[in-house]
Amino acid sequence: MATTNASAASWGTRLVNRWRRKEYERKLKNRQTDGPLIKLTPQQKGMNVLLHLIMLLMVLYCVIPLIWLVFSSTKTNEGLYASFGLWFDDENVFFQNIVDTFTFQEGVYTRWLLNSILYAVVAGLGSTILAAFAGYAIATMRFPGRNMLLWITLIFMSIPSTVITVPLFLMYAKIGLVNTPLAVIIPQLSNPFGLYLMIIYAQTSIPQSLVEAARLDGANTWTIFWKVAFPLLSPGFVTVLLFALVSVWNNYFLPLIMLSNTDDYPLTVGLNVWLKMASDPSAQQVPNNLILTGSLLADVPLAISVLFLQRYWQSGLAAGAVKQ
């Protein structure tokens, strides 16, 4: 069995590499025959500068709050109000803030962090795998109801997830899933946007001739998907995975409705609980610097995911449209 799997993997790799090599040679030949680059007119140069300025403003709009969060996490609770927001205070207590964040309320922040990682990995990876399976099938196979599935996918993409959260709560309450991690994971396994993206990517990256060649070689559908199609789908798979991870990680309303046990909260709900406690005189006071430090630490896993997965975007980028 191991020998058979190894030979199948080697066959699939050779088939994909042979196709990629032909594509590379074709693109290289077209590049060599291309004419000189077209010079931009003054109007086009002005539009180019304007677009770059707009992009710079958008970058600043996104980056400045993060910079403020970084500086704020290095200050004491008093230093937040006694110093300039976009610079350090006289006393840098960044590492002490991290320790205090993880030890406050008997280390409940650690529990919330682990919950967020669990929900993101299980729901994000699960929804991406399901989207890859369904997207490949819809893009490359012809079966009754295919067009209806495409329309249903587009319809569900236009429905906000918050609209169906309350009906889901009522349904899950009937079957006893409320106040369990499954109530947060199962609804997020459905990813209409990821499915639609995988359909479009599969249609443009998997040539039908390659699938037919694999069938002629005796490969079944399962082998074709994993050994031939999936290597070509990997950039799209990683893209959908990142979108799914961010979506699950930042989801607030669903776990807020489904969960009542504090120990099951993700970071989004847990940090909001701390924020309410900080403004409630009757509750245990939570220092604002710990809330800001916890918010900064909550961004670290997503940043690591992007840095780790972005290199896989480079694999399979040679896959493009081919003339059938």
Side-chain angles (χ1 to χ4, degrees), residues 19-29 318:
W19 178 81
R20 283 179 171 173
R21 185 166 58 252
K22 291 181 179 179
E23 276 297 289
Y24 175 76
E25 293 173 354
R26 181 182 65 83
K27 292 181 179 180
L28 183 61
K29 181 179 179 181

Side-chain angles (χ1 to χ4, degrees), residues 34-74:
D34 288 341
L37 295 177
I38 300 176
K39 293 184 178 180
L40 297 178
T41 63
Q43 293 81 1
Q44 290 173 330
K45 291 181 179 179
M47 182 60 66
N48 189 31
V49 173
L50 177 62
L51 292 176
H52 278 80
L53 290 176
I54 294 175
M55 183 62 67
L56 178 61
L57 292 176
M58 294 175 62
V59 171
L60 292 176
Y61 177 79
C62 297
V63 170
I64 288 178
L66 182 60
I67 295 175
W68 174 83
L69 187 62
V70 171
F71 286 127
S72 298
S73 63
T74 65

Side-chain angles (χ1 to χ4, degrees), residues 166-320:
V166 174
L168 281 174
F169 172 80
L170 297 176
M171 181 178 68
Y172 283 14
K174 290 289 186 180
I175 59 179
L177 287 181
V178 174
N179 297 327
T180 66
L182 291 177
V184 178
I185 293 174
I186 293 178
Q188 298 184 98
L189 291 176
S190 174
N191 187 356
F193 173 75
L195 172 59
Y196 183 74
L197 191 61
M198 289 304 301
I199 293 173
I200 299 302
Y201 195 85
Q203 288 176 340
T204 57
S205 65
I206 303 177
Q208 194 63 30
S209 58
L210 188 63
V211 177
E212 292 173 357
R215 286 201 180 101
L216 290 175
D217 285 348
N220 56 32
T221 303
W222 188 253
T223 302
I224 292 174
F225 175 79
W226 284 113
K227 308 303 180 183
V228 178
F230 188 76
L232 300 177
L233 288 175
S234 57
F237 183 88
V238 172
T239 302
V240 174
L241 178 59
L242 282 175
F243 277 117
L245 289 176
V246 173
S247 176
V248 177
W249 190 271
N250 293 331
N251 197 334
Y252 170 76
F253 191 59
L254 178 66
L256 178 66
I257 293 293
M258 293 293 183
L259 304 174
S260 60
N261 187 1
T262 306
D263 290 338
D264 293 331
Y265 284 169
L267 284 173
T268 50
V269 181
L271 289 173
N272 188 64
V273 170
W274 276 6
L275 186 61
K276 291 180 178 179
M277 293 173 61
S279 58
D280 186 1
S282 62
Q284 180 183 3
Q285 290 297 302
V286 182
N288 288 324
N289 61 325
L290 298 190
I291 299 176
L292 294 174
T293 303
S295 300
L296 177 64
L297 295 175
D299 294 331
V300 172
L302 284 182
I304 293 175
S305 300
V306 172
L307 293 176
F308 176 75
L309 294 176
Q310 61 87 24
R311 61 193 181 106
Y312 292 100
W313 279 326
Q314 304 301 324
S315 63
L317 289 181

